[in-house]
């Protein structure tokens, strides 16, 4: 029996559980001996001109090695802005900064655009001296009017980038002007949905250490992709082969640690500039104001259909708040538009987006990156429509699902869904939750006027994984003359358990036991070419690459075995369970991997591959949230959360479920309690973990996970990605549940997060609709 | 993250603590469990030049049944208050409240005296001690004085403790009907400070986060005394309060919560008695 | 000032700044880097260690306050022969960790929790962990691990390292998930108070 599909506990764990992970701040590499500590001086104001920086008092403090500002960066090559796009070009939609007039500096030059923007860098002998000295760097700010919100940005009264003439930095080409798609719709609902700004909160913040030794810069950084980080670091004026990037243990990333951002580039430059090794570990307060944040979209939505539940038309208009610098061009809302219609076969779909800058923290990828926003809104819209039509939301979903026989299915927005069985996933969840009994209990409580009302929320979702399938992933597999194997992967685990998963793939192909397989990632000296871990791509691309390399190793080994057996290659057989080579039909002759590898050149059998797929894959599922709402206070308690998330065949149920759990928690958190807030002057109000309500175990139930495995034809293992799916489904499930709990009181919509006060306020206003229906 | 520099000195007795405080004057602050003070210092929102660590003064950690009241040493840790058999029997409201403070780690370090002396109107224990009509025993160079709870909390972060004085003991009268208690702590997340909280012992009601100090809900108490129903009395919960508005709750919502939680607290206390 | 702490059974004496936090003493002086820092507001619990056997947040204790006291970190949890503590084992079998950053603090918090409450309910575990934030796991398996460790019934109340009867199950039979369908643990959870 193959090891694939079985529960294998992680090979990563014994070390992590006994001596602990080794994150950047734990590194004791000899090159970092005597490293100075980096402390950033950051802007305390949201929008201002910098009129002076006085570093003299700071320089006089004990242990201060240097205080660096943009003025010191004369040894950096000029950052050449990209050529302006020719007239009529489509908008930039890649996950790359817009550049041009929207360019983001490293250390601030002459103005700051968000509280927390780095202005100067203090290097001290010890950590404790850092904050002391940084406090004494004196920066003069000439404050400008803040642009603290999307609404403020859209007025254009204050421009963050005056040269640009607008705060709208890019927009999509989608046309939403034709209202005739709603002609003939008997039921139409229109309204606004906020997908609020949230913080990523990896438990380890950003951290980077760098050492410049003998013309080579080594950078250890908490990243999701060492190779891409290296490319970005060439900005300091070094070619890639003069830079080595190492990802040590990484304490969570969730999309916000893709590559490296400006602070890490500054730290790497500082190491080269001063000739001293430098280590930077951000504090949580820094993390909550200057690590990229997520979501931050405002939607205007219109949905229309027939009285009997068939959706005919859907329009989604997205405004993306990208914060002070457009680091991802139109990438996020482009994905939101792409996934707008979700799991439904809707005849007419319109989607548009525009991106505005505001003086908040820059926004970038966060678990789901554009897709949670799409699902959150279509699932609200379907509930609005169901409520208006007087139909059960489960019934409406089923009436409109894309049916299994319609796959592969290209949506009206151009998304090429590979496989799916949406109704089956919903049925599983309804059945496991006991939907009819829950509705009955809900009705009983409504009739009795109970203080604690029950809410049942459904979410059916589909999402796009490995959106950059064509970039693929690399893998090198080596079998050594002692029978052990080494896997080098371009993927870059930061908690996902790839070492276990990829070793399982090698074991399945080659029969080499797990404890004889080492998996290596995240070092550009060892793996110069790789893409990394984000977009839920690692198993379908990285794992497929490992499988491909293992198969090539097996084919090469078969040749060696044939030579040793003095037999025909076609007669040579590998028993993948035992890892023993035989001749077919001759049980007396056998060879071990050690023997076969020893016979190869240099005692090594190796295959180095890249695996690419020709398109992304589309995992899907349904989730049901059961909540209790105290109608006197608005307090929400999550009672149950039942999911059927389908990402194809399951390699290791333990790893799969772990990703689902983590995703569900972050999704529920957005619905329930997390939000980044600013005051009218752009000052952050949620810049510590005391104020930013990161969800804890006390707010969550245990989850009920159902299995569903619909393969994809896109890769040999048939697998899709699960990393973000849990989050995408959980937010709308919880959101819908809370509103469902108080819908009998006239509530039609509540914006996230559904804090007690928001829920209570909605109940008070019950009947004062926030959505309009025709 | 990193505290600004300070000088650490250690007191091994109350007398030593008082004389160190006198010696260093305004530059010094007492350090008990450190879980109110050190977080402020780490954020550089407070920067005393001297910290006088009281942690070795074991003689101030006790819970004694003194007949009509229970005497609690100021340096008794929340965990010990929460798990005290004496309090469980005689003043369960107090034991329960201590078990609501922060999380288990915080309760292993934080002290009842440190929490109370800090004077945060969002804290749990001050309101409970106010509802229980506790008396605070304060020692200074000039002697000992006792301050009733109604006079102890003066404003936010301001108590009756004068510079240099040390809170040594909290005396809590045993309620007539110990079981007639309720503690309604309303939060968004379990770990959060109370958006609004209510401590009830019999017909004594105190409020958390409805003003600059913990407040007795005197309008409620008067109504109950004149025979009003719980529902009618609770409707007056916001009278005489001055709740603020912040990201955790608006004033109007806090006032509403006060009414609801007072009603629930009184009902629960009544049901237990 | 000079401080002497017993850390994982070993006496360590050092001259440190008065303001040195215990967590930095452990990481930088004792060179035990398993204990991590995740915030500045005593909110996240990543820095949790045992001080005289009780869980504390070492970022909110001065090394000077811990002078003369005994500290146990994750590195000191396994037995002298290297056998993992039941809580460590349960984290392994129940997949209670992903990136590992919150894990040392979680494990130490649970060790202390189980010492004080050897047979907690799920609700007890969840509220007992309200001061420990994890971003990867959604807490589900962490809670499972705590309950499995409790059920393995070998957590001694006096010593940190226990005499374990090896629970050699990969997926334990008592409260963890089965492989086929749903993963139901009692969901009568009083989530939040």
């Amino acid at each position: 029996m193959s090891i694939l599909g079985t529960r294998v506990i992680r090979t990563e764990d014994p070390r992590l559980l006994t001596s602990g992970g080794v994150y950047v701040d734990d590194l004791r590499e000899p090159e970092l001996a005597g490293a100075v500590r980096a402390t950033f001086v950051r802007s305390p104001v949201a929008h201002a001109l910098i009129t002076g920086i006085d570093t003299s008092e700071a320089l006089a403090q004990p242990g201060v090695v240097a205080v660096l500002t943009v003025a010191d960066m004369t040894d950096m090559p000029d950052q050449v802005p990209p050529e302006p796009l020719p007239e009529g070009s489509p908008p930039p939609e890649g996950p790359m900064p817009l550049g041009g007039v929207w360019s983001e500096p490293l250390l601030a030059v002459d103005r700051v655009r968000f509280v927390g923007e780095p202005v100067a860098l203090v290097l001290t002998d010890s950590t404790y001296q850092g904050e002391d000295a940084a406090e004494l760097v004196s920066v003069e700010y000439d404050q400008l009017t803040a642009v603290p919100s999307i609404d403020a940005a859209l007025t254009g009264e204050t421009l963050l980038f005056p040269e640009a003439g607008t705060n709208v930095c890019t927009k999509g080409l989608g046309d939403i002007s034709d209202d005739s798609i709603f002609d003939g719709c008997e039921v139409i609902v229109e309204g606004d949905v906020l997908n609020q700004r949230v913080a990523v909160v990896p438990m380890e913040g950003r951290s980077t250490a760098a050492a410049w030794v003998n013309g080579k810069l080594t950078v250890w950084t908490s990243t999701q992709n060492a190779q891409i980080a290296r490319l970005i670091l060439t900005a300091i004026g070094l070619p890639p082969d003069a830079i080595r990037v190492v990802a040590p243990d990484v304490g969570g990333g969730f999309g916000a640690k893709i590559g490296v951002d400006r602070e890490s580039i500054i730290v790497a430059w500082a190491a080269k500039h001063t000739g001293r090794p430098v280590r930077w570990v951000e504090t949580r307060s820094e993390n909550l104001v200057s690590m990229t944040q997520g979501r931050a979209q405002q939607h205007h939505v219109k949905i229309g259909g027939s009285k009997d539940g068939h959706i005919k038309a859907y329009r989604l208009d997205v405004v993306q708040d990208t914060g002070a610098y457009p680091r991802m061009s139109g990438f996020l809302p482009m994905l939101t538009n792409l996934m707008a219609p979700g799991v439904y076969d809707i005849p007419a779909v319109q989607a548009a987006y525009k991106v505005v800058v505001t003086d908040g923290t820059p926004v970038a990828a966060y678990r789901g990156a554009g897709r949670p926003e799409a699902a959150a809104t279509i699932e609200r819209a379907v509930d609005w429509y169901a409520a208006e039509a007087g139909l059960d939301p489960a019934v409406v979903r089923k009436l409109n699902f894309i049916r299994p026989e319609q796959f592969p299915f290209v949506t009206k927005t151009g998304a090429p869904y590979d496989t799916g069985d949406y109704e089956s996933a919903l049925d599983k969840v309804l059945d496991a939750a006991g939907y009819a009994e829950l509705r009955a209990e809900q009705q009983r409580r409504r009739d009795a006027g109970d203080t604690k009302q029950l809410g049942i929320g459904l979410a059916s979702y589909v999402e796009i994984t490995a959106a950059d399938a064509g970039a693929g992933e690399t893998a090198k597999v080596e079998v050594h003359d002692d029978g052990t194997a080494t896997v080098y992967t371009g993927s870059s685990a930061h908690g996902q358990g790839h070492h276990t998963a990829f070793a399982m793939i090698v074991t399945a192909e080659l029969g080499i036991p797990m404890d004889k397989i080492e998996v290596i990632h995240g070092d550009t000296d060892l793996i110069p070419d790789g893409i990394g871990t984000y977009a839920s791509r690692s198993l379908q691309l990285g794992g497929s690459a490992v499988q491909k390399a293992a198969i090539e190793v097996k084919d090469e080994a078969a040749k060696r075995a044939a030579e040793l057996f003095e037999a025909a290659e076609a007669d040579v057989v590998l028993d993948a369970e035992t890892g023993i080579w035989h001749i077919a039909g001759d049980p007396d002759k056998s060879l071990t991997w050690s023997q076969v590898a020893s016979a190869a050149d240099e005692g090594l059998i190796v295959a180095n591959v890249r695996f690419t797929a020709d398109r992304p894959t589309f995992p899907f599922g349904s989730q049901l949230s059961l909540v209790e709402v105290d109608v006197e206070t608005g307090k929400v308690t999550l009672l149950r959360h039942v999911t059927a998330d389908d990402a194809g065949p399951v390699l290791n149920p333990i790893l799969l479920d772990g990703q689902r759990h983590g995703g569900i928690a972050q999704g529920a958190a957005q619905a329930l309690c997390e939000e980044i807030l600013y005051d009218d002057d752009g000052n952050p109000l949620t810049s510590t973990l005391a104020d930013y309500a990161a969800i804890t175990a006390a707010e969550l139930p245990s989850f009920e996970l159902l299995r569903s495995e619909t393969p994809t034809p896109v890769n040999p293992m048939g697998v899709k990605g699960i990393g973000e799916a849990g989050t995408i489904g959980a937010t709308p499930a919880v959101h819908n549940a809370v509103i469902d709990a108080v819908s009998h009181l006239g509530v039609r919509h509540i914006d996230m997060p559904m804090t007690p006060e928001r829920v209570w306020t909605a109940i008070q206003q019950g009947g004062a609709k926030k959505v309009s229906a025709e | 993250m990193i505290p600004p520099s300070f000088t650490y000195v250690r007191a091994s007795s109350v007398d030593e603590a008082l004389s160190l405080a006198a010696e260093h004057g305004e530059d010094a602050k007492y350090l008990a469990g450190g879980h109110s003070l050190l977080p402020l210092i780490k954020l550089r929102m407070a920067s005393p030049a001297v910290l006088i660590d009281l942690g070795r003064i074991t003689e101030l950690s006790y819970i004694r049944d003194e007949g009509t009241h229970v005497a609690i040493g100021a340096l008794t840790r929340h965990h010990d208050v929460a798990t005290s058999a004496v309090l469980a029997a005689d003043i369960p409201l107090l034991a329960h409240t201590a078990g609501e403070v922060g999380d288990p780690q915080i309760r292993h370090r934080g002290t009842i005296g440190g929490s109370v002396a800090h004077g945060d109107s969002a804290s749990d224990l001050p309101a409970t001690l106010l509802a229980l009509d506790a008396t605070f025993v304060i020692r200074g160079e000039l002697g000992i004085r006792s301050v009733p709870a109604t006079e102890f909390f003066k404003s936010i972060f301001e108590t009756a403790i004068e510079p240099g004085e040390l809170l040594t003991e909290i005396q809590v009268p045993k309620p007539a009907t110990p079981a007639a208690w309720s503690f309604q702590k309303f939060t968004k997340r379990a770990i959060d400070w109370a958006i609004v909280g209510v401590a009830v012992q019999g017909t004594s009601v105190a409020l958390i986060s409805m003003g600059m100090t913990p407040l007795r809900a005197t309008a409620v108490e008067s109504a109950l005394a004149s025979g009003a129903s719980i529902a009618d009395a609770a409707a007056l919960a916001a009278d005489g309060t001055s709740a603020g508005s912040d990201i955790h709750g608006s004033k109007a919502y806090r006032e509403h919560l006060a009414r609801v939680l007072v009603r629930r607290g009184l009902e629960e206390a009544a049901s237990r008695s | 000032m000079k401080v002497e702490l017993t850390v994982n059974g070993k006496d360590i004496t050092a001259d440190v700044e008065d303001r040195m936090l215990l967590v930095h003493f452990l990481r930088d002086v004792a060179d035990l880097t398993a204990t991590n820092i995740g915030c500045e507001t005593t909110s996240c619990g990543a820095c949790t260690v045992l001080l005289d056997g009780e869980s504390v947040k070492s970022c909110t204790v001065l090394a000077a306050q811990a002078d003369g006291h005994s500290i146990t970190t994750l590195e000191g949890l396994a037995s002298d022969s290297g056998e993992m503590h039941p809580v460590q084992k349960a984290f392994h079998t129940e997949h209670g960790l992903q990136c590992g950053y919150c894990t040392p603090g979680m494990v130490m918090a649970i060790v202390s929790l189980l010492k004080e409450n050897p047979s907690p309910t799920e609700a007890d575990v969840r509220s007992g962990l309200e001061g420990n934030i994890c971003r990867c796991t959604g807490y589900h398996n962490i809670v499972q691990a705590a309950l499995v460790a409790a059920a393995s019934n070998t957590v001694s109340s006096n010593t940190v390292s226990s005499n374990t009867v090896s629970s050699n199950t990969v997926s334990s039979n008592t409260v963890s998930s089965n492989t086929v369908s749903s993963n139901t643990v009692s969901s009568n959870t009083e989530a939040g108070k």
Side-chain angles (χ1 to χ4, degrees), chain A residues 21 35 40 68 149 172 206 234 267 317 381 413 429 489 523 539 545 586 593 605-606 658 714 739:
Chain A
F40 280 95
L68 303 169
S149 64
R206 292 168 301 167
T234 56
V267 166
D317 189 10
T413 50
V429 155
T489 172
D523 183 336
L539 180 61
D586 186 348
W593 269 106
I605 305 182
V606 58
V714 172
I739 295 164

Side-chain angles (χ1 to χ4, degrees), chain B residues 36-243:
Chain B
S36 298
L37 183 59
L38 287 176
L40 287 180
I41 292 178
K42 284 166 63 182
L43 290 174
R44 302 199 168 208
M45 285 159 59
S47 43
V50 178
L51 286 189
I52 303 167
D53 185 4
L54 308 173
R56 315 285 153 149
I57 308 178
T58 51
E59 78 223 42
L60 284 187
S61 177
Y62 56 86
I63 300 174
R64 290 187 203 128
D65 185 339
E66 313 260 276
T68 54
H69 70 269
V70 177
I72 304 170
L75 292 177
T76 310
R77 300 202 190 268
H78 300 311
H79 176 76
D80 295 332
V81 176
T83 54
S84 156
V86 168
L87 290 175
D90 294 329
I91 320 179
L93 169 62
L94 182 55
H96 176 90
T97 303
E100 291 284 308
V101 173
D103 54 49
Q105 294 96 315
I106 289 171
R107 295 195 285 274
H108 285 144
R109 293 294 297 167
T111 64
I112 188 168
S115 169
V116 153
H118 189 63
D120 191 343
S121 65
S123 293
D124 302 329
L125 285 163
T128 285
L129 292 167
L130 184 61
L132 289 167
D133 284 314
T135 300
F136 297 90
V137 180
I138 304 170
R139 271 191 60 182
E141 298 235 290
L142 304 175
I144 301 186
R145 59 198 185 91
S146 293
V147 178
T150 45
E151 290 163 35
F152 181 81
F153 302 101
K154 292 189 130 48
S155 185
I156 188 143
F157 303 125
E158 198 191 316
T159 69
I161 304 173
E162 296 290 337
E165 290 186 316
L166 184 64
L167 175 68
T168 55
E169 180 176 281
I170 301 168
Q171 295 167 347
V172 189
K174 294 186 192 177
T177 316
W181 68 272
S182 178
F183 189 73
Q184 303 282 324
K185 179 176 179 178
F186 190 85
T187 58
K188 191 166 69 178
R189 296 177 303 168
I191 190 53
D192 293 332
W193 298 90
I195 297 173
V196 172
V198 175
V200 175
Q201 182 67 56
T203 53
S204 289
V205 181
L207 305 171
I208 303 172
S209 277
M210 290 299 290
M212 303 283 270
T213 66
L215 299 172
R216 287 285 283 263
T218 46
V220 172
E221 292 174 354
S222 300
L224 288 172
S226 16
S229 68
I230 285 178
D232 288 344
L236 305 171
D239 287 17
T241 64
S242 55

Side-chain angles (χ1 to χ4, degrees), chain A residues 17 26 128 284-285 695 703, chain C residues 24 27 38 40 88 139 183:
Chain A
L17 282 168
D26 304 331
Y128 275 48
R284 181 60 60 189
S285 304
I695 203 162
F703 309 122
Chain C
H24 287 125
R27 290 177 52 77
E40 304 85 71
Q88 287 167 307
Y139 306 101
N183 186 354

Side-chain angles (χ1 to χ4, degrees), chain C residues 8 33 53 101 126 144 169 177:
Chain C
N8 297 334
T33 58
Y101 198 80
R126 286 183 179 278
Q144 286 286 73
T169 48
S177 55

